[in-house]
Amino acid sequence: MTLAQHVRQALKEIADPDKAPVMRSYMKSSMPFLGVQAGPRRTALRRVFAAHPIDGAPEWRRAVLEVWREAEYREERYAAIELSGYHRYREHQTLYTIPMYEEMVVTGAWWDLVDEIATHRVGGLLAAFPDTMRALMLDWARDGDLWKRRTAILSQNRFKKATDTALLYACIEPSLSDNDFFARKAIGWALREYAKVNPAEVVRYVQAKGISGLSRREALRNVTGSTTPPAQP
């Protein structure tokens, strides 16, 4: 059996079909669910990954994409994302993984799949290879694909004081005129995370750019007191 087949079997063994329709409805997913909740899923997958180690970075990337591409249920795509971040393969997180993550972002095309990749996988590459990844994030920020833009915007969400503010703003600004919910939410979320370490700067930026609506509410959600600017007319 391939690793993808072992993953599929393990997930089916712990599936609760009664939960599947509710999970699918909540996620507004075109792909069906098996009905496997997050905790049991992670436990089962850790056992599978430990029992079936992969030799070499190319083989690991092929395995991730095999699980991803052959997925019939959404939990299988979650499994591919978890395999991509499994601790045993941490050393494989190099620039060679960019095409893999790009494919997963573009074909995943929904927040539950994209956001983990953006903040933990692409963000990790940005921290490790800032020069190359900075240029790539600037390209993705201007891409016609919404989910690549969202990934660029969210890529520094875990950086806190290490945030490259100029890059953050450069990734946000191509999407400021986009009325799509997921673009607006990403802008607000990214600014809210940065506001945890520099609230005054986020307030200044929101005010200077006239950011309003959902993005503004998200950005300033945890900013209180005299630094909060008045609402835009």
Side-chain angles (χ1 to χ4, degrees):
M1 290 175 65
T2 66
L3 179 58
Q5 290 171 326
H6 283 293
V7 165
R8 192 172 300 119
Q9 181 182 56
L11 291 173
K12 286 183 177 178
E13 286 174 357
I14 58 172
D16 183 346
D18 291 339
K19 289 185 170 66
V22 176
M23 295 170 73
R24 183 176 186 178
S25 176
Y26 171 77
M27 199 54 64
K28 298 181 173 62
S29 171
S30 59
M31 181 178 282
F33 276 78
L34 282 164
V36 182
Q37 294 184 307
R41 183 187 77 231
R42 293 189 183 109
T43 299
L45 290 173
R46 282 195 295 270
R47 286 198 296 266
V48 171
F49 299 160
H52 303 282
I54 302 166
D55 294 325
E59 292 77 15
W60 164 73
R61 292 193 297 270
R62 281 195 290 271
V64 172
L65 287 175
E66 182 180 11
V67 175
W68 181 268
R69 291 168 179 169
E70 293 182 1
E72 297 177 3
Y73 295 94
R74 204 161 192 87
E75 290 94 338
E76 294 168 29
R77 288 209 154 168
Y78 297 156
I81 294 172
E82 292 190 37
L83 179 59
S84 77
Y86 188 56
H87 66 88
R88 180 172 287 174
Y89 310 118
R90 191 172 293 123
E91 66 182 16
H92 300 336
Q93 299 290 346
T94 69
L95 295 174
Y96 288 107
T97 61
I98 291 171
M100 178 178 80
Y101 292 134
E102 182 174 9
E103 177 179 334
M104 293 167 77
V105 164
V106 172
T107 59
W110 203 242
W111 67 269
D112 62 322
L113 302 174
V114 170
D115 292 1
E116 177 78 7
I117 298 168
T119 58
H120 289 85
R121 310 294 184 265
V122 173
L125 292 174
L126 177 59
F129 308 99
D131 293 339
T132 301
M133 290 300 297
R134 190 181 196 281
L136 183 67
M137 290 301 94
L138 291 172
D139 286 343
W140 284 21
R142 297 186 293 267
D143 198 271
D145 184 88
L146 164 66
W147 299 100
K148 288 174 72 172
R149 294 199 308 275
R150 183 175 169 101
T151 296
I153 292 168
L154 299 179
S155 62
Q156 295 190 83
N157 263 26
R158 300 170 68 234
F159 283 29
K160 303 300 186 270
K161 291 183 179 180
T163 299
D164 178 342
T165 311
L167 176 61
L168 174 64
Y169 296 162
C171 288
I172 285 173
E173 285 169 17
S175 293
L176 282 176
S177 61
D178 192 334
N179 290 323
D180 184 275
F181 171 85
F182 291 105
R184 305 301 298 172
K185 186 81 170 182
I187 291 168
W189 182 17
L191 290 172
R192 185 174 80 243
E193 289 302 308
Y194 187 48
K196 291 177 180 178
V197 295
N198 198 344
E201 170 56 22
V202 170
V203 169
R204 182 206 66 78
Y205 182 74
V206 167
Q207 186 81 327
K209 293 296 178 180
I211 295 174
S212 60
L214 174 63
S215 296
R216 177 193 177 88
R217 290 193 299 274
E218 287 293 321
L220 303 181
R221 179 185 293 180
N222 300 319
V223 178
T224 59
S226 59
T227 57
T228 305
Q232 295 292 314

